[in-house]
């Protein structure tokens, strides 16, 4: 599975579990840390932890384990590092405060997510 496909797959898994405001950005030209960043909002600490658990479970089925997981105990900002894709799951207040999209978006690097077309139709 290629890096972009992984970012899209992660976005879909988050969408399927009712994450909100999902954004996937290609950042390979901006950093050496990863190729893609996926950012999502959870309505509560419980949902944030459930989203992280769901991602870990489904990606483990594909043979992928995160290199590192941070923030899962607190559940306000959870980071799952899948090497080429780093996932950020925020509660709304933290997402508004850190505004990662503003930091990493250059206006041309947002991925079109398949489920966005369904919402617009």
């Amino acid at each position: 599975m290629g890096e972009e496909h992984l970012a899209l797959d992660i976005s879909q898994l988050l969408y399927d579990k009712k994450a909100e405001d999902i954004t996937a950005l290609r950042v390979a030209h901006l950093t050496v840390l990863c190729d893609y960043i996926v950012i999502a909002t959870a309505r509560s600490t419980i949902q944030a932890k459930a989203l992280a658990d769901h991602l870990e479970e489904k990606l483990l089925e594909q043979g992928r384990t995160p290199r590192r997981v941070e923030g899962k105990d607190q559940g306000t900002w959870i980071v799952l590092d899948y090497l080429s894709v780093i996932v950020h799951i925020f509660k709304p207040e933290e997402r508004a405060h850190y505004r990662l999209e503003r930091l990493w978006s250059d206006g041309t690097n947002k991925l079109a997510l398949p489920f966005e077309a369904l919402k617009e139709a």
Side-chain angles (χ1 to χ4, degrees), residues 20-38:
E20 298 176 349
D21 197 17
I22 302 164
T23 301
L25 300 170
R26 183 180 178 280
V27 295
H29 61 295
L30 301 172
T31 183
V32 296
L33 296 175
C34 61
D35 294 326
Y36 294 88
I37 293 175
V38 177

Side-chain angles (χ1 to χ4, degrees), residues 23-27 29-30 37 39 99-111:
T23 301
L25 300 170
R26 183 180 178 280
V27 295
H29 61 295
L30 301 172
I37 293 175
I39 307 165
R99 301 182 317 187
L100 290 186
E101 294 93 332
R102 185 170 175 228
L103 178 66
W104 292 107
S105 179
D106 67 5
T108 64
N109 61 338
K110 185 175 179 183
L111 297 181

Side-chain angles (χ1 to χ4, degrees), residues 10-11 14-15 19-23 38-42 51 76-78 87-92 95 101:
I10 287 170
S11 299
L14 291 167
Y15 177 79
E20 298 176 349
D21 197 17
I22 302 164
T23 301
V38 177
I39 307 165
T41 300
L51 288 168
T76 57
W77 178 4
I78 301 172
V87 182
H88 298 269
I89 301 170
F90 286 102
K91 283 184 52 189
R95 184 164 181 179
E101 294 93 332

Side-chain angles (χ1 to χ4, degrees), residues 4-121:
E4 182 173 335
H5 185 70
L6 177 60
L8 293 172
D9 191 35
I10 287 170
S11 299
Q12 185 67 50
L13 289 167
L14 291 167
Y15 177 79
D16 292 345
K17 277 295 197 184
K18 309 296 186 218
E20 298 176 349
D21 197 17
I22 302 164
T23 301
L25 300 170
R26 183 180 178 280
V27 295
H29 61 295
L30 301 172
T31 183
V32 296
L33 296 175
C34 61
D35 294 326
Y36 294 88
I37 293 175
V38 177
I39 307 165
T41 300
R43 292 180 301 279
S44 67
T45 300
I46 292 170
Q47 187 191 22
K49 292 176 182 181
L51 288 168
D53 288 343
H54 180 68
L55 275 183
E56 285 186 275
E57 176 187 324
K58 292 299 183 183
L59 293 176
L60 183 60
E61 290 173 5
Q62 299 173 16
R64 293 185 177 271
T65 56
R67 174 174 50 177
R68 185 177 197 113
V69 177
E70 297 288 338
K72 205 168 174 185
D73 291 337
Q74 297 81 18
T76 57
W77 178 4
I78 301 172
V79 179
L80 298 101
D81 182 350
Y82 284 95
L83 300 174
S84 61
V85 180
I86 297 178
V87 182
H88 298 269
I89 301 170
F90 286 102
K91 283 184 52 189
E93 301 81 22
E94 286 74 13
R95 184 164 181 179
H97 178 76
Y98 290 104
R99 301 182 317 187
L100 290 186
E101 294 93 332
R102 185 170 175 228
L103 178 66
W104 292 107
S105 179
D106 67 5
T108 64
N109 61 338
K110 185 175 179 183
L111 297 181
L113 302 174
F115 50 83
E116 290 176 330
L118 298 175
K119 289 191 293 188
E120 293 172 6

